[in-house]
Amino acid sequence: MTDPDALTPPAVDPAVYDEEYFRTCCGDADAWEQRRDVDGIYAYALELLGVDASTTLVDLGSGRGELVVAALKRGAPRAIGVEYSPDAVRLAHDTASAHDLDDRAEFREGDIRATGLDPAIADRAAMLDVVEHLTGPELADALVEARRLLRPGGRILVHTMPNRLIYDATYRWLRRLWPRGRRWPADPRNEFEHAMHVGELSARQLEAALVTAGFADVDVRHGELVYFAFVPSRIAQRLLGALDRVPALRRLTRANLLATATRPA
């Protein structure tokens, strides 16, 4: 087990992920702000993981705590969130309180590369919208830690956005070939992505990271999110929408990635 005190400082300082970020920009912030919602993608994630009344879950990079709370509401006997932003941990406690789960939801402020949790503590692990915020070495360490936390046969779910190909391949080529496309920004990423996204991956890169960390049964797929707002031309956006109807091209049009893998028995 890695000693948390031996870790190098994270590439993105925890202070960047402040309360304003989690209240306005992270996930479905409006739904959380209005009603501390834990449905939507969190319910879908639990369905994919097969979380039930016998499942212990560890959520690595737990943010506002929605997945932990959703797991407990689904019947999980134990759910633990690990998050290095102190502001997020405070908001996670707000989420648990709103659902009368203060006494059961567990949130730890710490680094997901070295959580300090006991080995083989969990049946399921999740990393939702965390990968893109980690450098390659940080992701490698975090996945090894996730594997350590899982019991043999336990499963992890990873969700990340963006699939880096939509920017580094699709946008780049469209900008080069589109009439007056050279007038578009050279890099379509917004200010938050520039500040926080230090590890965007393609499907192949995510698969390789999971395999290298020692996971088996690795399945990486492109999600359902079609996102073209970063393309300045509406006509070009419609063209990309048409291309998305061709399954073989979806690796260039789908914005998110979903991966599942298991810790070998």
Side-chain angles (χ1 to χ4, degrees), residues 1-199:
M1 180 173 69
T2 303
D3 180 357
D5 293 332
L7 293 173
T8 58
V12 184
D13 192 284
V16 173
Y17 302 97
D18 58 12
E19 183 168 340
E20 181 181 4
Y21 168 75
F22 283 102
R23 284 184 176 275
T24 59
C25 302
C26 177
D28 193 349
D30 289 340
W32 182 87
E33 193 68 56
Q34 293 169 16
R35 56 186 183 278
R36 301 301 189 264
D37 187 27
V38 298
D39 296 323
I41 190 174
Y42 305 104
Y44 179 57
L46 296 177
E47 191 71 30
L48 289 176
L49 278 169
V51 171
D52 58 25
S54 65
T55 306
T56 294
L57 171 76
V58 173
D59 185 17
L60 299 170
S62 50
R64 295 181 303 243
E66 290 103 316
L67 189 68
V68 167
V69 170
L72 295 172
K73 288 172 67 69
R74 192 180 177 91
R78 190 179 186 192
I80 308 162
V82 182
E83 169 61 56
Y84 82 154
S85 164
D87 284 359
V89 174
R90 286 194 294 272
L91 295 177
H93 285 293
D94 285 349
T95 306
S97 179
H99 292 271
D100 297 321
L101 288 168
D102 312 65
D103 58 338
R104 294 185 57 209
E106 300 177 49
F107 298 107
R108 296 170 177 244
E109 184 180 334
D111 196 305
I112 64 172
R113 296 174 292 172
T115 63
L117 294 169
D118 292 336
I121 196 175
D123 305 290
R124 301 289 185 267
M127 292 177 63
L128 304 184
D129 299 321
V130 174
V131 166
E132 62 272 22
H133 299 268
L134 303 175
T135 64
E138 288 174 338
L139 176 61
D141 289 342
L143 289 176
V144 168
E145 176 70 352
R147 181 178 176 274
R148 187 187 71 85
L149 296 175
L150 285 169
R151 299 184 178 105
R155 190 158 73 249
I156 187 172
L157 172 69
V158 178
H159 178 271
T160 182
M161 176 188 169
N163 159 23
R164 71 175 297 170
L165 292 185
I166 66 168
Y167 290 159
D168 290 354
T170 305
Y171 179 84
R172 183 178 298 174
W173 281 102
L174 192 61
R175 180 177 180 268
R176 181 177 298 177
L177 298 173
W178 199 258
R180 294 184 294 279
R182 298 297 180 122
R183 299 180 183 179
W184 300 355
D187 187 337
R189 293 168 177 83
N190 62 39
E191 61 177 304
F192 293 106
E193 291 170 314
H194 280 295
M196 302 174 180
H197 286 192
V198 293

